[in-house]
Amino acid sequence: MKRLLGLDIGNKTIGVAVSDPLGILAQGVTTITRRSKDEDVQALKEIIETYDVDKLIVGLPKNMNNSVGFQATRTMNYVDYLKDALHMEVIYVDERLTTASATQALIEGGVRRENRKKYVDKIAAVFILQTYLDQQSL
């Protein structure tokens, strides 16, 4: 079975997580520092090939009232570019509060404040992907 790739797309970074081959658990892979669209695509292509991925699960940052605001529109525009460049199916998952949850998990794990920024996007991507995997198993 092919794997799924979870993405937490921010303005400066992309948190990346991958599912296990059975589609049960998500694990963090890396955080990509965004430089240009072409470089982002190249980094994602390498991960997609390494893990034999066939679908992207992308966090959609909706507003708290469930509306699609500026950041969600920005994310969808960027994902449209990724879809065309990577030729992959994309599924959106509501990502409200995933960064807050990831930060809280890092605090509870004893990660020092200055080190949290290194991991928060990758952990948020894990939460996004795991949310999707859990919904599929219902």
Side-chain angles (χ1 to χ4, degrees):
M1 180 176 171
K2 292 199 176 229
R3 296 179 185 215
L4 306 173
L5 199 67
L7 301 178
D8 177 40
I9 299 173
N11 295 334
K12 296 180 182 179
T13 60
I14 302 171
V16 182
V18 68
S19 70
D20 67 320
L22 298 176
I24 298 169
L25 293 174
Q27 66 181 23
V29 174
T30 190
T31 300
I32 298 169
T33 301
R34 291 182 58 185
R35 291 178 174 77
S36 71
K37 286 183 177 180
D38 290 338
E39 288 179 84
D40 297 350
V41 166
Q42 190 55 45
L44 288 170
K45 278 183 179 178
E46 290 173 16
I47 294 167
I48 288 165
E49 288 175 19
T50 299
Y51 290 97
D52 194 24
V53 170
D54 73 343
K55 245 183 243 180
L56 302 179
I57 310 302
V58 177
L60 186 62
K62 291 183 173 181
N63 294 326
M64 292 309 289
N65 65 2
N66 203 33
S67 65
V68 175
F70 174 77
Q71 194 62 34
T73 301
R74 188 175 183 169
T75 298
M76 289 187 296
N77 290 336
Y78 183 75
V79 170
D80 285 343
Y81 173 80
L82 291 180
K83 250 194 293 195
D84 290 341
L86 298 171
H87 310 291
M88 299 198 75
E89 179 183 354
V90 174
I91 297 170
Y92 288 106
V93 172
D94 185 350
E95 74 157 46
R96 284 178 284 183
L97 302 178
T98 55
T99 300
S101 298
T103 300
Q104 187 60 38
L106 291 168
I107 290 168
E108 290 173 6
V111 177
R112 296 175 55 92
R113 180 187 306 264
E114 58 270 16
N115 293 328
R116 284 184 215 141
K117 192 169 182 121
K118 295 179 204 171
Y119 304 108
V120 72
D121 296 317
K122 178 170 64 172
I123 301 301
V126 170
F127 283 13
I128 290 164
L129 181 54
Q130 192 63 54
T131 297
Y132 176 80
L133 295 172
D134 291 347
Q135 289 170 350
Q136 299 310 299
S137 67
L138 296 177

